[in-house]
Amino acid sequence: MDKIFDYIDAREAEYVTRVMDYVRHPSISAHNIGIRHVAGLLVDMLDGLGFQTQLIETAGHPFVFGEYLVDPSLPTVLLYGHYDVQPPDPLEKWISPPFEPTIRDGRIWARGIGDNKGQHFAQLMGIEALLAVTGTLPCNVKFLLEGEEEIGSPQIADFVAAHREMLACDLVITSDGPLHDTGLPQVTYGVRGMASFELRAKTADRDSHSGNYGGTMPNAVWTLVNLLATMKTPDGEITIAGLHDPIIPATNAERAAVGALPLDVDGFMAELGLKHLDAPANVPFYDRLMFRPTLTINGLHGGYGGEGTKSVIPSEAFAKCDIRLVEAMTPDQVFDCVRAHVAIHAPDVEFIAHGGMLPSKTSLESPYARAITDGIRAARGVEPLHIPSAGGSLPDYVFTKILGVPAFVVPYANHDEANHAPNENLKLDLFHAGIRTGAAMLTKIGGQ
Amino acid sequence: MDKIFDYIDAREAEYVTRVMDYVRHPSISAHNIGIRHVAGLLVDMLDGLGFQTQLIETAGHPFVFGEYLVDPSLPTVLLYGHYDVQPPDPLEKWISPPFEPTIRDGRIWARGIGDNKGQHFAQLMGIEALLAVTGTLPCNVKFLLEGEEEIGSPQIADFVAAHREMLACDLVITSDGPLHDTGLPQVTYGVRGMASFELRAKTADRDSHSGNYGGTMPNAVWTLVNLLATMKTPDGEITIAGLHDPIIPATNAERAAVGALPLDVDGFMAELGLKHLDAPANVPFYDRLMFRPTLTINGLHGGYGGEGTKSVIPSEAFAKCDIRLVEAMTPDQVFDCVRAHVAIHAPDVEFIAHGGMLPSKTSLESPYARAITDGIRAARGVEPLHIPSAGGSLPDYVFTKILGVPAFVVPYANHDEANHAPNENLKLDLFHAGIRTGAAMLTKIGGQ
């Protein structure tokens, strides 16, 4: 390991120059700008490292796949990332232009440097270093790089299902997203899923006067208020029958991991200006984000919203909602429960299912979790945080549920990377630590 | 009476010509167009009838007051109306220009012909006929014509309070608004009041991601949903403590009157496209409009309202509401009750009181109710409907609560008069019947 770290450390400046060259090329999936050019760069890089490489066409932007198979008796790691980036707007908010990478304050500033080009480039550099020093890799490595992550990965589930053999592996590692705000390295083992839906109430053909019709014409906003009030108690407990049925409780290992996480609730509340956390009271902070479904009203609109007053009875109103799912809930199960609830409590209200995403969960006791942790410890010199689940949603289920393998997220970017925003950036030291981490994780997974 | 009716009937065409001359003059209070000119026309008309007339200046548009005092032992009637009209926009929707009165399909079409110039002009013509035929009036008559009704009568309460002696009377009659949709003549004895308020929730300094923050950050829309759900049951019963305390139950006479009203609930529901009436079920139709307060959400807005989905937790939301009041509730009492309710159930929610108006109620057993009914019966040959209360709100309380006298609304306009809309109109036969009715009511009130 030391030889490999020495090799990497000696090339710190060179890696920075090279990653800046890489992110200089726009690859904006939403606007179909530069996608094929950057996919081509990746094919060339993987080819150059000795990978068997393919550019796989889809109905949208292509996947880049490469594999370097050492020995069938060794574990196979699939490294997932995405080469597309968010649009850079609003351009006027950038201090330096998004596609002219600039070093300032110990960070590289460029669109895609954190999300995700700088992070998978670090993996590539770690592999390059392993090959340079040892002449081979410590385990079999597959690389899957997507060109549509920033537009919602519309094809990844079908793609993975259709390429099970090609993608067959023992585990998946994704290096994407920001680190915990302590800046400590971390391993994330899961994500919450999501089910998004809309409720639409229409009580009459037109709005009416609240005096002349008040008491006779039903009010679409009241219809939604009454319906929503049946779906969650003021104490914060979701009351939709069957919703919780599939839930797998947190394991002892997950509870222990959460218990060991740094926590600054006062700081969190101060940052958002909160007087109190959301209901229910007395639920531990990380339980709220990892182990419980939510029912969020994303928006509710009906009736008059202008200045002053208007004495109207609204005839139409809608609520847009999402439910975050924990293992083993599914969007279809959730939609069925909500649809049934609405049919009982407000049969005139229209239920519209929007998108959904399955949750994903990987065991903290997976042997690969230990190997990854050993790698991070070797590369960083500190113990990583173990985060059983992110609060948000990513399509990790394609690995855990379709490929049926454990999936780990090991982010390299600073928590203030400003992904999806102007002035995206990556700390130089974290980029370098990522290269070391990538090399070390593969080494430990290979059993060395 | 027959001589007076004969006199009126002989002049049917002349009255039509004269009312068309009157409504030809715009008097738009909202735009301050023509107000003083029309007020001057009224002063001249009242002077010409032998009234003691005054144009009384205010901070806004002037009141026109006239009195014709016959004998202090006779009753004194105050006739209230307004000489201002709604703006005529949208002009392109008018079939004939709003200030070029036109006869078509048995109706006069012009802005103000129904609301209210044609109706108080009918009163004036009735008085003119009485004077022409008998040389005097059957009772003392005061005329109060306002120039700001269409902008919400902002000064009438203070004006009436400051001119109690000048306005002293035994009863008030207002001929304004449309008739019941049966077209039968009617007497309305009261109106619901109103208290308008806003609830504003702010749970955090900014919106947040429903995944990364879901379960931790409180949701402003949920805060309002939960608060509103404590204010009224899904069965439609308002649960705000103290709100109902002042309510005076309907009298037997009111119940009997309501029982005699024509009712076509199926037609009402078909007109609005309703599947059912508002909760609570099994409350009689007119009870809903006359004898019960309402709690209407005029509008509720918070969070995302655009196309598709957005996984956001809204930090701010507001609800605009009004409560319709029945005798003897008051806006101040209602505001106190709601404010106290909010302080208990959602102390972080801001309560903002907007405008209010007192309800008004006149006894169906008032001796003047009998005189008015006798007059209508004599003029129209049919029995009028007796409507204990309108569902909407008018400042009738200035007469019942400030002057302390019974107040009656006796409309002359067809139910489809299109007041406040393009193509306002008044049926010729109802205008003529209004002149007869005005003369007959004064005659009966005078005891003849």
Side-chain angles (χ1 to χ4, degrees):
Chain A
M1 268 323 276
D2 284 347
K3 274 191 191 168
I4 294 158
F5 289 150
D6 289 346
Y7 181 92
I8 292 170
D9 294 350
R11 283 159 183 79
E12 185 160 358
E14 179 199 323
Y15 293 137
V16 170
T17 304
R18 288 172 68 184
V19 78
M20 286 169 71
D21 282 344
Y22 177 45
V23 296
R24 198 178 307 268
H25 303 280
S27 47
I28 308 168
S29 48
H31 302 163
N32 195 13
I33 292 173
I35 286 289
R36 285 186 174 270
H37 180 69
V38 171
L41 295 178
L42 284 168
V43 168
D44 291 345
M45 277 191 268
L46 287 166
D47 278 346
L49 293 172
F51 278 60
Q52 293 284 93
T53 312
Q54 303 178 51
L55 185 75
I56 304 170
E57 295 296 340
T58 69
H61 303 320
F63 285 83
V64 174
F65 178 75
E67 61 184 0
Y68 192 108
L69 303 181
V70 183
D71 181 340
S73 71
L74 287 170
T76 300
V77 180
L78 175 68
L79 299 170
Y80 166 75
H82 63 92
Y83 63 89
D84 64 326
V85 303
Q86 280 279 317
D89 325 284
L91 281 175
E92 67 279 11
K93 295 274 178 75
W94 286 78
I95 294 168
S96 49
F99 297 109
E100 295 177 20
T102 306
I103 296 175
R104 205 165 58 237
D105 304 329
R107 304 176 189 224
I108 307 168
W109 304 78
R111 171 56 86 224
I113 188 69
D115 184 14
N116 169 256
K117 285 157 94 174
Q119 299 205 47
H120 63 247
F121 195 81
Q123 308 288 46
L124 284 167
M125 295 303 98
I127 287 165
E128 187 185 273
L130 287 167
L131 288 167
V133 173
T134 69
T136 184
L137 291 181
C139 59
N140 304 305
V141 176
K142 295 181 178 182
F143 235 114
L144 179 66
L145 292 158
E146 182 181 1
E148 297 187 316
E149 199 269 354
E150 296 296 1
I151 54 173
S153 299
Q155 302 182 86
I156 196 168
D158 288 347
F159 179 85
V160 170
H163 295 83
R164 285 173 211 268
E165 273 189 55
M166 183 181 91
L167 300 172
C169 61
D170 296 291
L171 71 156
V172 177
I173 299 176
T174 302
S175 290
D176 198 6
L179 292 161
H180 191 272
D181 56 15
T182 53
L184 290 168
Q186 74 183 56
V187 187
T188 305
Y189 295 81
V191 291
R192 289 198 289 198
M194 183 167 73
S196 181
F197 61 90
E198 191 163 335
L199 304 169
R200 300 194 75 94
K202 184 175 179 194
T203 52
D205 289 341
R206 58 172 170 82
D207 295 354
S208 290
H209 187 283
S210 68
N212 300 337
Y213 292 81
T216 59
M217 184 186 125
N219 181 323
V221 179
W222 267 119
T223 299
L224 287 189
V225 166
N226 290 333
L227 171 58
L228 288 163
T230 65
M231 294 169 75
K232 193 162 86 164
T233 68
D235 294 333
E237 298 297 342
I238 301 172
T239 49
I240 299 166
L243 195 89
H244 297 76
D245 289 354
I247 292 179
I248 297 171
T251 63
N252 289 340
E254 287 168 341
R255 292 237 155 259
V258 160
L261 289 178
L263 179 59
D264 176 11
V265 174
D266 290 344
F268 172 84
M269 291 175 65
E271 189 228 323
L272 279 178
L274 304 188
K275 291 186 182 171
H276 51 78
L277 293 182
D278 195 15
N282 304 323
V283 172
F285 187 84
Y286 287 117
D287 279 38
R288 297 165 174 274
L289 286 173
M290 298 180 193
F291 302 141
R292 294 172 58 92
T294 62
L295 170 50
T296 298
I297 303 169
N298 305 127
L300 196 166
H301 296 273
Y304 183 67
E307 286 297 302
T309 63
K310 187 174 177 186
S311 53
V312 67
I313 304 174
S315 58
E316 297 190 66
F318 64 90
K320 291 172 186 276
C321 303
D322 69 41
I323 291 179
R324 296 285 165 169
L325 320 180
V326 298
E327 199 69 23
M329 300 167 76
T330 73
D332 284 345
Q333 167 247 339
V334 164
F335 290 144
D336 286 348
C337 292
V338 178
R339 191 183 290 109
H341 184 97
V342 172
I344 292 168
H345 290 88
D348 295 339
V349 170
E350 183 183 9
F351 168 84
I352 303 165
H354 289 313
M357 191 175 279
L358 289 157
S360 177
K361 181 169 177 165
T362 289
S363 170
L364 275 74
E365 290 158 291
S366 159
Y368 298 112
R370 281 197 295 281
I372 288 169
T373 302
D374 290 346
I376 294 173
R377 194 188 302 112
R380 299 287 309 274
V382 292
E383 201 62 31
L385 304 176
H386 295 275
I387 299 184
S389 176
S393 305
L394 291 170
D396 266 18
Y397 74 92
V398 299
F399 307 121
T400 52
K401 292 194 162 67
I402 298 177
L403 293 186
V405 298
F408 306 87
V409 181
V410 182
Y412 296 156
N414 30 294
H415 85 281
D416 57 350
E417 62 168 324
N419 50 342
H420 296 215
N423 302 310
E424 182 173 345
N425 67 89
L426 178 62
K427 286 188 171 174
L428 289 167
D429 59 348
L430 290 175
F431 171 61
H432 187 72
I435 299 170
R436 290 169 56 105
T437 303
M441 287 192 299
L442 296 182
T443 303
K444 296 295 182 186
I445 289 164
Q448 292 158 45
Chain B
M1 270 318 279
D2 284 346
K3 274 192 190 167
I4 295 160
F5 289 150
D6 289 346
Y7 180 92
I8 292 171
D9 293 348
R11 282 160 185 78
E12 187 161 355
E14 178 198 325
Y15 293 138
V16 170
T17 304
R18 287 171 68 186
V19 79
M20 287 169 72
D21 282 345
Y22 177 45
V23 296
R24 196 178 308 265
H25 303 281
S27 47
I28 308 167
S29 49
H31 302 161
N32 196 14
I33 292 172
I35 286 288
R36 286 185 173 269
H37 180 70
V38 171
L41 294 178
L42 284 168
V43 168
D44 290 347
M45 278 192 266
L46 286 165
D47 279 345
L49 294 171
F51 278 60
Q52 293 285 93
T53 312
Q54 301 177 51
L55 185 77
I56 303 170
E57 295 296 339
T58 70
H61 301 322
F63 285 84
V64 173
F65 178 75
E67 61 183 1
Y68 192 108
L69 304 181
V70 182
D71 182 338
S73 72
L74 286 169
T76 300
V77 181
L78 175 69
L79 299 170
Y80 166 76
H82 63 91
Y83 63 88
D84 65 324
V85 303
Q86 280 278 320
D89 324 281
L91 280 174
E92 67 277 11
K93 295 275 178 75
W94 285 79
I95 293 168
S96 49
F99 297 110
E100 295 178 21
T102 306
I103 296 175
R104 202 165 62 238
D105 302 329
R107 302 175 190 225
I108 307 169
W109 304 78
R111 172 55 88 225
I113 188 69
D115 184 14
N116 169 260
K117 285 156 94 175
Q119 300 207 46
H120 63 246
F121 195 81
Q123 307 289 45
L124 285 167
M125 294 303 98
I127 287 166
E128 186 185 274
L130 287 166
L131 289 166
V133 174
T134 68
T136 185
L137 292 181
C139 58
N140 305 305
V141 176
K142 295 180 178 183
F143 234 114
L144 178 67
L145 293 158
E146 183 182 358
E148 297 187 315
E149 199 269 354
E150 296 295 2
I151 54 172
S153 301
Q155 303 182 83
I156 196 168
D158 288 346
F159 179 85
V160 169
H163 296 83
R164 284 173 212 267
E165 272 189 54
M166 184 182 90
L167 301 171
C169 60
D170 296 292
L171 72 155
V172 176
I173 298 176
T174 302
S175 291
D176 198 6
L179 291 161
H180 191 272
D181 56 15
T182 51
L184 288 168
Q186 73 182 57
V187 187
T188 305
Y189 295 81
V191 291
R192 288 198 290 199
M194 183 168 72
S196 180
F197 61 90
E198 191 163 335
L199 303 170
R200 299 195 76 93
K202 184 175 179 196
T203 53
D205 289 341
R206 58 173 171 82
D207 295 355
S208 289
H209 187 282
S210 68
N212 300 338
Y213 292 82
T216 59
M217 186 187 123
N219 180 322
V221 178
W222 268 118
T223 300
L224 287 189
V225 166
N226 289 332
L227 171 58
L228 288 162
T230 65
M231 295 169 73
K232 193 162 86 166
T233 68
D235 296 332
E237 297 297 342
I238 302 172
T239 50
I240 299 167
L243 196 90
H244 296 75
D245 290 353
I247 292 179
I248 298 169
T251 63
N252 290 340
E254 287 167 342
R255 292 235 155 262
V258 160
L261 289 179
L263 179 58
D264 176 11
V265 174
D266 289 344
F268 172 84
M269 290 175 65
E271 189 228 324
L272 279 178
L274 303 187
K275 291 187 182 169
H276 51 78
L277 293 182
D278 196 14
N282 304 322
V283 172
F285 187 84
Y286 287 118
D287 278 38
R288 296 164 173 275
L289 287 173
M290 297 180 194
F291 303 142
R292 293 172 59 91
T294 63
L295 170 50
T296 298
I297 303 170
N298 306 126
L300 196 165
H301 295 274
Y304 184 66
E307 287 297 304
T309 63
K310 187 174 177 185
S311 54
V312 67
I313 304 174
S315 58
E316 297 191 67
F318 64 88
K320 292 172 185 274
C321 303
D322 69 40
I323 291 180
R324 297 284 165 169
L325 320 179
V326 297
E327 200 71 19
M329 300 167 76
T330 72
D332 285 345
Q333 167 249 336
V334 165
F335 290 143
D336 287 347
C337 292
V338 178
R339 191 184 291 111
H341 184 95
V342 172
I344 292 167
H345 291 88
D348 294 339
V349 170
E350 183 184 9
F351 168 84
I352 302 165
H354 290 313
M357 191 175 280
L358 290 157
S360 177
K361 181 168 178 166
T362 289
S363 171
L364 275 74
E365 291 160 290
S366 159
Y368 298 113
R370 283 197 293 281
I372 288 169
T373 303
D374 290 346
I376 294 171
R377 194 189 298 111
R380 300 286 309 272
V382 293
E383 201 63 30
L385 304 177
H386 295 275
I387 300 184
S389 177
S393 305
L394 291 171
D396 266 17
Y397 74 92
V398 300
F399 307 123
T400 52
K401 291 194 163 67
I402 299 178
L403 293 185
V405 298
F408 306 88
V409 181
V410 182
Y412 296 156
N414 30 294
H415 85 281
D416 57 351
E417 62 169 323
N419 50 342
H420 296 215
N423 301 311
E424 183 173 344
N425 66 88
L426 179 62
K427 286 189 172 174
L428 289 167
D429 59 348
L430 289 175
F431 171 62
H432 187 71
I435 300 171
R436 289 168 56 104
T437 302
M441 287 193 297
L442 296 182
T443 303
K444 296 296 181 186
I445 288 164
Q448 290 159 48

